[in-house]
Amino acid sequence: MNYYSDSRLEWSLEALKKSYSKLKQGITKEDDFEVYIALGESLLWICTTDEWLSKNSRGYNKRKNVNNVVHIISALKYAINSFKHNKLLFKLHQSEGGFEFPGEFPFEIETITFKWCYIEPDEKDFESQIKNYEKYFLGKEISHGIEEAFIFLEKEHFYEKENLSTLK
């Protein structure tokens, strides 16, 4: 891997880190439009980085299998393809409890969460991606999967840097 490809990987991971940070902020603010934007960006950078590493990093796909991230990234690919085809990926979900009238003191207002929702598959969708999405994401909070992929891709960056330094 040369300087340009190392910078490319570094910049992609930095873009992913920033988009994931915006996603967490949108979730905290309970701003569904901010979540929509940041989720799309996060999916883009995860899938783009995964694809680039698959083509340019020797042994990447094997490490992805060994670390069991292959299913998570497969599910994220289904999510981004659905996102590109204008399908709803998440829904607002208010936990049981919340605030009701008449209320009792002390009262608790449960936070709103954003969860992966069911996506109607098309005949062009890959069966394995659909199964991974439904098994690993459906009904879970949307930050689930994004963080796991980010941590794995960040480790891959350090792996690549380490290998690059030993080749010099």
Side-chain angles (χ1 to χ4, degrees), residues 54-104:
S54 289
K55 291 179 182 173
N56 295 291
S57 177
R58 180 178 292 148
Y60 170 75
N61 290 322
K62 184 176 182 179
R63 290 188 301 277
K64 191 166 56 169
N65 269 318
V66 168
N67 288 289
N68 241 358
V69 181
V70 67
H71 304 296
I72 298 293
I73 291 179
S74 170
L76 290 169
K77 286 180 180 181
Y78 180 61
I80 194 168
N81 287 332
S82 296
F83 187 82
K84 290 188 288 186
H85 297 287
N86 203 25
K87 294 181 183 177
L88 182 64
L89 295 178
F90 66 88
K91 62 182 172 185
L92 301 172
H93 177 78
Q94 185 160 4
S95 301
E96 293 291 319
F99 184 73
E100 296 177 9
F101 285 104
E104 293 181 24

Side-chain angles (χ1 to χ4, degrees), residues 18-140:
K18 288 183 182 212
S19 63
Y20 183 54
S21 177
K22 287 193 298 187
L23 178 63
K24 291 190 291 188
Q25 287 174 348
I27 291 170
T28 301
K29 292 191 285 184
E30 299 176 354
D31 184 334
D32 53 341
F33 188 65
E34 285 297 318
V35 169
Y36 176 80
I37 293 168
L39 179 59
E41 290 175 358
S42 296
L43 291 170
L44 167 79
W45 288 113
I46 288 169
C47 293
T48 301
T49 305
D50 172 68
E51 187 176 321
W52 188 87
L53 283 165
S54 289
K55 291 179 182 173
N56 295 291
S57 177
R58 180 178 292 148
Y60 170 75
N61 290 322
K62 184 176 182 179
R63 290 188 301 277
K64 191 166 56 169
N65 269 318
V66 168
N67 288 289
N68 241 358
V69 181
V70 67
H71 304 296
I72 298 293
I73 291 179
S74 170
L76 290 169
K77 286 180 180 181
Y78 180 61
I80 194 168
N81 287 332
S82 296
F83 187 82
K84 290 188 288 186
H85 297 287
N86 203 25
K87 294 181 183 177
L88 182 64
L89 295 178
F90 66 88
K91 62 182 172 185
L92 301 172
H93 177 78
Q94 185 160 4
S95 301
E96 293 291 319
F99 184 73
E100 296 177 9
F101 285 104
E104 293 181 24
F105 290 96
F107 61 85
E108 250 182 73
I109 299 176
E110 297 292 330
T111 57
I112 293 176
T113 57
F114 297 83
K115 295 191 176 186
W116 295 105
C117 66
Y118 175 76
I119 302 171
E120 185 69 39
D122 291 336
E123 65 277 349
K124 296 176 188 172
D125 293 334
F126 292 105
E127 188 68 30
S128 62
Q129 290 179 356
I130 296 167
K131 285 181 180 176
N132 285 324
Y133 177 86
E134 290 176 352
K135 181 177 180 180
Y136 295 100
F137 286 16
L138 187 60
K140 295 184 176 142

